[in-house]
Amino acid sequence: MNDAHDATVGSGANAPSRTPHGLATRLGPIELSHPIINASGTLDLFEVAATLADVDEAAAAAFLADPPVAAYVPKTVTPHPRPGNPPPRILETAGGMLNSIGLPNGGIEAFVTRELPRLLSLPCPVILNVGGFARDDYVEVAAVLRVALEEALGEAHEEALGEAHEAVVVGASWLSRVGLELNVSCPNVHTGCMSIGSDRDETAAVVAAVREEWPGLLLVKLTPNVTHVVPIARAAAEAGADGLSLVNTFKGLALDRVSLKPYLGGVTGGLSGPAIKPLALRIVYEVRAAVDIPLVGMGGVGSVQDVLEFLACGASVVAVGASGFRDPWKPRTLAVELEAALEARSMALAEVIGMAHE
Amino acid sequence: MKDRALATVLHRARVGSMVLVRLGVPGWRSARPGQFAMLQAEGSGCFLPRAFSVHAQREGSSDGSEVSFLIAPIGAATDELVALSPGDRVWALGPLGRGFDILGELPRHGAPGGSGRLLIVGGGVGVAPFVLALERLREIAAASTGGAHSEVLLLFGFRDAVQADALTLFEPAVAALRAEGVPVHLEGICEDGSLGRPGLVTKLLEEHARSGDAVIACGAHAMCEAVWDICLRTGDGLDAWFSLEAGMACGFGSCLGCVMPMADGVLARVCREGPVFSGREVFGEARHPCAAPDAGGGGS
Ligand SMILES: Cc1cc2nc3c(=O)[nH]c(=O)nc-3n(C[C@H](O)[C@H](O)[C@H](O)COP(=O)(O)OP(=O)(O)OC[C@H]3O[C@@H](n4cnc5c(N)ncnc54)[C@H](O)[C@@H]3O)c2cc1C
Ligand SMILES: Cc1cc2nc3c(=O)[nH]c(=O)nc-3n(C[C@H](O)[C@H](O)[C@H](O)COP(=O)(O)O)c2cc1C
Ligand code: FES
């Protein structure tokens, strides 16, 4: 699974640290220097920095001053603190891994006081990922975040508030720096979340309700654990989503080799990694054909070829998930490689996006 | 951790049932005993890297430091790593985690409240981190300030004679520590009796533990529980630190996959809060109901 590029392109301090050119793009009101971000729950910039700081404070500061992602998506926050699922939480499986993390987090109150300030100190935009168990959970968290952001960064632009996401003046307010991603698709909690995202009407209701509260970029992260993603994608778009993140993990099960009982503490888990790439690509491809809002593609991305394929299927931004566990600098490396790959094809980023459909 | 480096295999040697792999790691920053690295053979068929304790290290020339790992082949990733030959390459990320950082602070010779004896307990491949620990103890002894440990006892448990070959790895480091004037006692025991009487390492610990000693340990979870149980039974002041294992995806605090419940019920990440925890933190003050003296021992 170590892709060939690993061998030739260094990482970390060895990786080219320049920002790739010609890859600038945007997600609604948010400008991105390139189209590669991280998938929620798979990269903690501050933990990487703390780990670097153990041996080199300067390297840690440099990492945060120039993060390896075009925008940073932190782990899901829920209204109340959650300890997460009991261990064991992860297991490598053929071509990927199963996880049953269970959305551990300190809850929105702690998030606003402890996480938000340092997130806003990052030089890149952030896309805050919110999870819940009922419609009101999402609305409540969005409202709390909006108030906190207005306090920290000033009120959103007048026009922007009036006409939702249409009239946003880019750069005029926090709307160009902070987005929201609704996680209606976590398979590792037993109520809400994925059951909301598996239901077209529930998804539409959550999105519409959050849309009322949230003037900025609104992404909805959908689950692949349904027979047809397209109707849910369409419902989310019609309810006011600015973009869709495709996909969360596929619900799976692994047994303990010896006892033949479920291995993971949470019993079932979410499958991610190269094993799910063809499944995720298919979903991005189908949704692109049916829905006309930007897509963030993810599922097994580990090489520049994977990035090109998600773009070609119709994603305009690509997220690196579990592959970042073996290399936290992966998104930056892929962006640099993408620049070279586009140059070799004499193509602009915009020309590749959706080309599988032509 | 500095950054992820493509290391080169410099040397590979079979040591009984385990394999010692020495890597040349560009940009390696010196590890503390008990710290680990995430390793993955280049071109690996596995998706994720795996965690390995730093066994020994030699500070770098211009092409990097020499860092050794002792690997027990038990599955796909470890099978790949032990099959490598000199010249092959390995992705290495480290050093990571909190090691046996208390080594420099333990009561030494003549210190009030402590006997100054240090007991090092290892089971199977759990002996891996202790060459680096001996090296650190030698540095502490050589630095003379604060004195040395009055005695260091290495108590190692193995499954059988083949696994017990790992004892040979400790001879140079033991000799070096003795040369600094620290008495060192190295004793092994095998479950099948091939080193004399059969038994688990906890049997050795029962014989040697005294109030006022300090213990550092690494091995199967059941062994660690049994060691802590002995510490509690030996009475006040016998303190212990354990290097624990958990499945890891990242090693740098991002996946939240490596958590282990602490005595107070809080889940701690083995990769960041650990892998070394104090006995009090992880097992608490109450004796573990299943920690009978023979509950754990060698194995890996
Ligand atoms: C901090 C730390 C330090 C370590 N230091 C060392 C070291 O110095 N030397 C060393 O050899 N090892 C060390 N390890 C252990 C090493 O990381 C593991 O042996 C390695 O991950 C095994 O990988 P593998 O692919 O070979 O085996 P895997 O197939 O991944 O198996 C790993 C473990 O998971 C269990 N497992 C996997 N799948 C299942 C299943 N379906 N059902 C039940 N059980 C399953 C296996 O029984 C085994 O115990 C350390 C671990 C940690 C956390
Ligand atoms: C360990 C782990 C934790 C995750 N945590 C979250 C999370 O908190 N919120 C979320 O929306 N998705 C979470 N995901 C899903 C990823 O963001 C991503 O959608 C999925 O892993 C597919 O991408 P990949 O194959 O590249 O990993 C998690 C995935 C993994 C592997
Ligand atoms: S291994 Fe990923 S958080 Fe510890």
Side-chain angles (χ1 to χ4, degrees):
Chain A
M1 295 300 136
N2 250 339
D3 50 284
H5 298 283
D6 276 3
T8 48
V9 181
S11 63
N14 304 324
S17 69
R18 67 200 176 80
T19 306
H21 293 290
L23 296 181
T25 185
R26 64 170 48 244
L27 257 182
I30 294 181
E31 284 183 71
L32 302 175
S33 59
H34 60 77
I36 317 287
I37 66 173
N38 68 294
S40 176
T42 63
L43 175 66
D44 187 327
L45 290 180
F46 301 101
E47 285 297 325
V48 174
T51 307
L52 288 166
D54 287 346
V55 294
D56 188 344
E57 294 276 352
F63 181 80
L64 290 178
D66 184 18
V69 286
Y72 177 52
V73 189
K75 188 160 179 71
T76 296
V77 59
T78 56
H80 303 290
R82 292 175 50 81
N85 288 342
R89 287 179 169 181
I90 51 173
L91 184 68
E92 177 157 336
T93 54
M97 64 179 286
L98 268 183
N99 87 79
S100 168
I101 310 293
L103 303 183
N105 75 98
I108 186 64
E109 215 171 289
F111 184 88
V112 164
T113 52
R114 279 187 243 136
E115 298 296 318
L116 200 55
R118 63 182 190 174
L119 286 168
L120 296 178
S121 75
L122 292 171
C124 62
V126 292
I127 299 173
L128 307 174
N129 180 300
V130 174
F133 307 92
R135 192 188 307 174
D136 288 349
D137 288 350
Y138 293 90
V139 178
E140 177 196 326
V141 172
V144 170
L145 286 173
R146 178 179 159 183
V147 169
L149 287 164
E150 284 175 353
E151 261 168 33
L153 302 174
E155 293 240 338
H157 224 254
E158 287 287 298
E159 301 101 296
L161 285 182
E163 286 215 26
H165 44 299
E166 282 293 277
V168 167
V169 180
V170 171
S173 72
W174 59 265
L175 300 176
S176 61
R177 284 178 60 188
V178 186
L180 200 64
E181 179 175 63
L182 303 183
N183 176 2
V184 290
S185 45
C186 180
N188 294 324
V189 293
H190 295 299
T191 52
C193 215
M194 193 178 98
S195 62
I196 294 174
S198 307
D199 185 288
R200 198 191 55 177
D201 297 338
E202 264 305 307
T203 302
V206 166
V207 175
V210 172
R211 185 75 278 175
E212 300 269 299
E213 283 297 334
W214 184 258
L217 172 75
L218 181 59
L219 301 178
V220 183
K221 186 167 179 178
L222 297 182
T223 176
N225 298 299
V226 292
T227 312
H228 300 293
V229 180
V230 167
I232 301 172
R234 210 179 263 134
E238 281 163 8
D242 298 316
L244 302 171
S245 300
L246 304 167
V247 292
N248 211 313
T249 53
F250 288 76
K251 196 167 179 174
L253 179 70
L255 297 188
D256 184 287
R257 284 175 197 147
V258 180
S259 71
L260 300 181
K261 299 271 194 305
Y263 176 85
L264 295 170
V267 182
T268 57
L271 185 65
S272 65
I276 71 167
K277 188 185 108 179
L279 303 166
L281 274 181
R282 184 264 301 171
I283 291 170
V284 171
Y285 185 87
E286 285 178 359
V287 171
R288 171 76 301 149
V291 177
D292 201 26
I293 56 176
L295 306 179
V296 179
M298 69 193 88
V301 173
S303 71
V304 69
Q305 182 64 31
D306 299 334
V307 172
L308 287 169
E309 292 178 17
F310 273 92
L311 293 171
C313 284
S316 46
V317 169
V318 175
V320 177
S323 286
F325 290 147
R326 58 175 194 242
D327 179 3
W329 291 274
K330 194 80 186 181
R332 152 83 43 75
T333 306
L334 292 181
V336 171
E337 290 179 9
L338 176 62
E339 185 189 24
L342 292 176
E343 220 169 273
R345 288 171 179 263
S346 306
M347 289 182 82
L349 176 61
E351 293 174 280
V352 179
I353 296 172
M355 71 183 282
H357 295 268
E358 285 148 23
Chain B
M1 168 172 83
K2 186 156 160 287
D3 58 70
R4 184 170 176 256
L6 191 53
T8 305
V9 177
L10 302 174
H11 185 74
R12 172 198 178 277
R14 183 158 276 286
V15 184
S17 58
M18 303 180 239
V19 173
L20 187 67
V21 177
R22 190 161 80 234
L23 302 177
V25 189
W28 178 261
R29 297 293 178 98
S30 186
R32 299 185 297 277
Q35 286 195 294
F36 65 98
M38 298 298 287
L39 301 182
Q40 185 173 33
E42 190 189 15
S44 169
C46 297
F47 178 52
L48 297 168
R50 302 289 195 270
F52 297 94
S53 305
V54 176
H55 175 71
Q57 64 191 350
R58 195 155 71 209
E59 292 293 316
S61 57
S62 53
D63 5 306
S65 304
E66 296 185 11
V67 190
S68 305
F69 298 90
L70 182 63
I71 298 174
I74 61 153
T78 47
D79 284 349
E80 283 178 356
L81 288 166
V82 302
L84 295 174
S85 311
D88 288 343
R89 301 205 288 178
V90 176
W91 286 105
L93 188 70
L96 298 165
R98 177 175 69 158
F100 291 107
D101 299 350
I102 30 72
L103 274 186
E105 295 153 29
L106 294 177
R108 286 169 238 158
H109 191 55
S115 70
R117 286 165 96 235
L118 176 67
L119 283 71
I120 301 181
V121 179
V125 74
V127 301
F130 297 131
V131 163
L132 198 60
L134 289 174
E135 171 57 22
R136 175 85 188 104
L137 292 170
R138 193 197 58 76
E139 280 169 19
I140 292 169
S144 72
T145 48
H149 286 279
S150 61
E151 192 180 8
V152 173
L153 291 87
L154 296 140
L155 309 176
F156 291 162
F158 300 100
R159 206 166 35 235
D160 51 30
V162 183
Q163 200 183 45
D165 264 3
L167 283 169
T168 57
L169 294 170
F170 289 82
E171 282 155 14
V174 165
L177 184 55
R178 283 187 185 135
E180 291 295 340
V182 180
V184 184
H185 171 81
L186 172 62
E187 192 173 341
I189 188 166
C190 284
E191 285 169 49
D192 69 355
S194 44
L195 287 180
R197 40 194 191 131
L200 301 171
V201 69
T202 41
K203 184 183 247 173
L204 300 182
L205 182 62
E206 297 263 14
E207 290 165 9
H208 291 285
R210 281 191 231 138
S211 185
D213 293 343
V215 177
I216 63 173
C218 181
H221 199 80
M223 181 202 91
C224 294
E225 281 181 332
V227 165
W228 181 240
D229 189 61
I230 292 169
C231 292
L232 291 179
R233 270 190 282 130
T234 308
D236 280 356
L238 180 54
D239 229 337
W241 287 264
F242 298 91
S243 178
L244 301 179
E245 251 189 54
M248 293 184 177
C250 69
F252 48 81
S254 281
C255 72
L256 307 181
C258 63
V259 296
M260 176 169 288
M262 297 289 106
D264 61 5
V266 170
L267 295 167
R269 292 167 305 177
V270 172
C271 74
R272 293 284 298 149
E273 284 80 50
V276 173
F277 296 93
S278 78
R280 243 163 279 283
E281 256 178 301
V282 59
F283 301 121
E285 306 284 349
R287 283 183 57 186
H288 195 276
C290 19
D294 59 353
S300 57

